[in-house]
Amino acid sequence: MSAAGGEWALKNGWMPMSDTGLWVVHSVGRAGSRLIAVLSDGHPTKEAGIARVEEAVREAVGAR
């Protein structure tokens, strides 16, 4: 996805691992001149993984 003006782009992905049942959650995007990629695994639920990825992005860009 991206905005018409090209100011941002985002690609998220998530998948449960069949051998453990834990979730892999990734997010890659651009906001203005910032490029951000968060790769994570070992989450008990998809929702927990998404929350952790969102927290990591906020910390990385200094947004609270």
Side-chain angles (χ1 to χ4, degrees):
M1 322 171 109
S2 67
E7 294 296 318
W8 61 271
L10 178 64
K11 174 63 176 122
N12 293 317
W14 48 85
M15 177 178 71
M17 301 305 293
S18 60
D19 57 336
T20 65
L22 298 175
W23 284 79
V24 173
V25 179
H26 300 331
S27 185
V28 179
R30 178 174 57 84
S33 63
R34 293 181 173 159
L35 300 174
I36 301 169
V38 179
L39 310 176
S40 68
D41 67 359
H43 304 287
T45 65
K46 180 175 83 170
E47 293 75 17
I50 291 170
R52 180 60 189 119
V53 166
E54 290 175 349
E55 179 184 354
V57 170
R58 283 191 297 274
E59 290 178 16
V61 300
R64 295 280 173 200

